[in-house]
Amino acid sequence: MTIVARQSLQEGLERALRRFRSMTPQDIKRLSRQLAGTTRAGRFNALTEALARGRVLDHLLETEFPDAATAAEPGDEDRTPQQPHDPHSGTRGRSVASQAARVALRVLASSDRFSIAEAVERAVGHVYGPPLPEWEYLCVNLTLDGAPPVDIGGWQLASFTYTADPQLPLTGAPGVPGDLLAPRALHEMHGFGLLRRPLGSVPVPVDDDQPRELVWPLLALNLALEVPVVAGPRYLVEPGRRVVRPHLGWPLPSEVSRWGYTFAPGHHQRAYMISTGHDADVAAFCRAFLTRTAGLDARRQDQLARAADHFLFVKCHVLGDDGGTTAGSSLHLSEAAFRLTAAMESLLAGGDGGHAEVGRKVQQRAAMLVGTDDDDRLQVRNTVGAGYAARSAYAHGAKDKESDLHALRSVVRRVLTHWVAQAAYCTGLSGRHGGRDGLVNLLDDALLSRLLHQEHIIGPRDTFHADGGTPPLLPVALWDPSQFRLAGPSRSPLDLA
């Protein structure tokens, strides 16, 4: 369709829809009877009223578009074969104007934020427009309280609301093909917000987690907040138009299985909302953390991803909404200590020494990396040591050892956060402190050199914090489903069956 023809179509649709929406129900009934060639004033039920509206709308469209060239034939549209303009066989005989008019009415019914011109523009694009670059949407149990989207390392954390997001697909509007499986149902039932990003030329397959994609935004959010932030189904959209795929089912990316996130039937995953004003703190931390993560070489990124797998698994299965331990945990608390110490080993073991030697070095290096003063360093060492004792008892079947899981998790969070800042800093060093084991060598040497500790550990840490690298650990509210449903689209008297 040429630009001129499309503009003409949109202008004609606007005129027809303005006339249609200005008509009262009595006007529609009267004109419908005239068009049907009858003067009978029989009672109208829901079906006959829908037929009357459809008859009047088609009449107004025929007045605006008397030329038969407005009829659409399969293959005429300028879409790719993979993106047909209308998957419903029942609408294939309608003209382009008729299809677009009905979609536009459903858009208008979905939200009062759309003008007739905006609804027509979206509808014409949906029915007869060129494909738009697709976006990937990922459900997460975290949303924003009306704030603009927050950048999370190439992804956007956003709320799911038709009143504020022009990118959400038309399948959210009542009656538009696909709305029974629309994302709206996923978000309503589970309280999901979303992470979204524009897809590149080579999208990552749903069943392939190489390269790792989701670990970075989810790690950043789980470091920033006490509550567990988990991922759910994934889908693609053509912004402002429709869900592109899948038409059946909502697959979980395979990477999610590394952290044990499951959404069994009947399982309710708690959802949370970041209050207005706190989103800036979350964005600042994620920006500082993920900017440095992106600057790491492939080996260090792999180290961090393996540590993140353990941390995210424990965060999902053990820790409650207040950051403490949960009595009904699905994960043995000693196994949680096992995973948390394994996360630190991934980053701080350095590849030398036996089992006992590695444990001692990890305790010392963690203390040097995150400790703020002598007392704090001793506390960190003792907390990690208690975690190792619980891990050893669990691994060897001995009686469980007591450990403060909340304190251990807090230390691991600090280690993950500061390790990224320190590893990014060490990439600019040379010699013993800049090679493969440069970071752990620096931590060992700093035990004996106050100058090294001040210049090469405290200095980068302070710079990182100044850039926003302090996890805000903000309080979040449980998501209130009634707020979402009031904002969602609903049927109106003008919605055509």
Side-chain angles (χ1 to χ4, degrees):
M1 176 178 286
T2 66
I3 295 177
V4 173
R6 178 165 175 161
Q7 184 65 31
S8 176
L9 173 62
Q10 291 182 195
E11 291 174 353
L13 282 172
E14 285 184 44
R15 290 192 296 269
L17 291 182
R18 290 185 193 282
R19 290 179 60 191
F20 182 74
R21 297 193 80 193
S22 68
M23 298 178 72
T24 66
Q26 290 73 24
D27 293 334
I28 291 176
K29 291 177 183 179
R30 188 181 308 111
L31 181 55
S32 174
R33 293 191 187 103
Q34 294 176 5
L35 294 172
T38 178
T39 57
R40 293 182 58 189
R43 294 187 61 182
F44 271 64
N45 55 33
L47 175 60
T48 55
E49 286 183 1
L51 292 173
R53 290 196 300 270
R55 187 179 297 117
V56 169
L57 178 60
D58 286 338
H59 170 73
L60 296 177
L61 293 172
E62 289 171 4
T63 303
E64 290 291 339
F65 305 104
D67 191 346
T70 55
E73 297 295 335
D76 285 351
E77 67 279 356
D78 54 353
R79 287 184 173 275
T80 64
Q82 291 76 28
Q83 295 179 305
H85 68 282
D86 197 329
H88 274 201
S89 58
T91 62
R92 288 175 185 165
R94 290 176 177 165
S95 69
V96 171
S98 178
Q99 292 181 49
R102 283 164 167 78
V103 172
L105 287 174
R106 289 160 186 156
V107 174
L108 290 169
S110 73
S111 172
D112 59 7
R113 72 173 290 271
F114 296 111
S115 67
I116 291 179
E118 290 170 330
V120 167
E121 183 178 4
R122 293 185 75 181
V124 170
H126 173 71
V127 173
Y128 208 81
L132 296 176
E134 296 170 10
W135 281 58
E136 179 179 8
Y137 276 53
L138 182 77
C139 296
V140 291
N141 66 325
L142 182 69
T143 190
L144 301 174
D145 186 13
V150 171
D151 182 71
I152 310 291
W155 296 76
Q156 295 176 358
L157 174 66
S159 56
F160 190 90
T161 166
Y162 288 97
T163 60
D165 188 352
Q167 291 198 138
L168 289 176
L170 292 180
T171 43
V176 175
D179 72 68
L180 292 180
L181 290 177
R184 179 189 180 196
L186 291 173
H187 294 269
E188 270 195 356
M189 288 188 295
H190 298 285
F192 286 138
L194 55 92
L195 285 172
R196 68 186 183 198
R197 63 173 181 172
L199 283 180
S201 57
V202 184
V204 178
V206 171
D207 59 352
D208 183 14
D209 58 6
Q210 294 293 336
R212 305 289 296 278
E213 296 287 345
L214 303 181
V215 64
W216 309 124
L218 288 174
L219 175 60
L221 289 170
N222 276 283
L223 291 173
L225 301 168
E226 286 282 6
V227 296
V229 180
V230 302
R234 168 189 186 264
Y235 57 95
L236 305 182
V237 304
E238 188 181 12
R241 295 186 181 172
R242 63 198 176 123
V243 174
V244 178
R245 60 178 181 272
H247 294 300
L248 295 174
W250 305 95
L252 287 174
S254 60
E255 189 175 357
V256 171
S257 65
R258 290 174 176 262
W259 315 308
Y261 297 167
T262 56
F263 295 91
H267 172 74
H268 177 68
Q269 176 66 53
R270 287 194 173 187
Y272 309 98
M273 179 179 292
I274 299 176
S275 300
T276 302
H278 293 321
D279 51 289
D281 294 329
V282 174
F285 171 77
C286 292
R287 182 171 56 251
F289 180 81
L290 294 174
T291 297
R292 286 165 173 80
T293 299
L296 300 177
D297 60 33
R299 185 184 69 83
R300 286 193 171 96
Q301 285 191 352
D302 182 62
Q303 281 183 272
L304 181 60
R306 284 185 281 118
D309 288 340
H310 291 298
F311 177 75
L312 293 174
F313 194 99
V314 172
K315 188 82 179 285
C316 175
H317 288 279
V318 176
L319 298 172
D321 300 334
D322 60 353
T325 58
T326 301
S329 167
S330 60
L331 186 67
H332 195 288
L333 298 185
S334 293
E335 182 183 352
F338 183 96
R339 285 183 173 273
L340 291 174
T341 52
M344 286 186 287
E345 281 190 7
S346 298
L347 304 176
L348 300 176
D352 57 347
H355 178 75
E357 183 74 3
V358 168
R360 179 184 63 80
K361 288 191 173 183
V362 168
Q363 293 172 52
Q364 291 179 347
R365 290 165 180 169
M368 289 303 298
L369 179 64
V370 306
T372 56
D373 54 37
D374 289 345
D375 289 341
D376 189 34
R377 283 189 283 275
L378 286 172
Q379 182 62 48
V380 169
R381 186 202 64 179
N382 293 339
T383 297
V384 178
Y388 264 99
R391 161 183 169 154
S392 179
Y394 174 76
H396 296 95
K399 184 178 179 180
D400 289 344
K401 296 282 187 179
E402 290 292 330
S403 65
D404 187 339
L405 191 61
H406 178 56
L408 182 59
R409 194 284 305 264
S410 179
V411 167
V412 174
R413 168 191 277 124
R414 293 166 67 188
V415 167
L416 284 163
T417 302
H418 291 118
W419 185 91
V420 167
Q422 194 66 54
Y425 174 78
C426 285
T427 58
L429 302 180
S430 59
R432 174 176 167 78
H433 298 153
R436 177 182 177 86
D437 293 325
L439 191 155
V440 294
N441 289 337
L442 176 61
L443 293 172
D444 290 344
D445 294 346
L447 280 169
L448 304 176
S449 171
R450 186 175 297 274
L451 180 62
L452 276 178
H453 183 254
Q454 183 65 41
E455 182 176 351
H456 294 298
I457 295 178
I458 300 298
R461 182 195 304 170
D462 289 346
T463 300
F464 181 53
H465 289 168
D467 289 343
T470 302
L473 304 181
L474 299 167
V476 293
L478 280 173
W479 175 80
D480 181 0
S482 65
Q483 292 181 359
F484 178 85
R485 290 193 176 94
L486 289 174
S490 58
R491 291 188 179 275
S492 80
L494 291 177
D495 181 37
L496 296 180

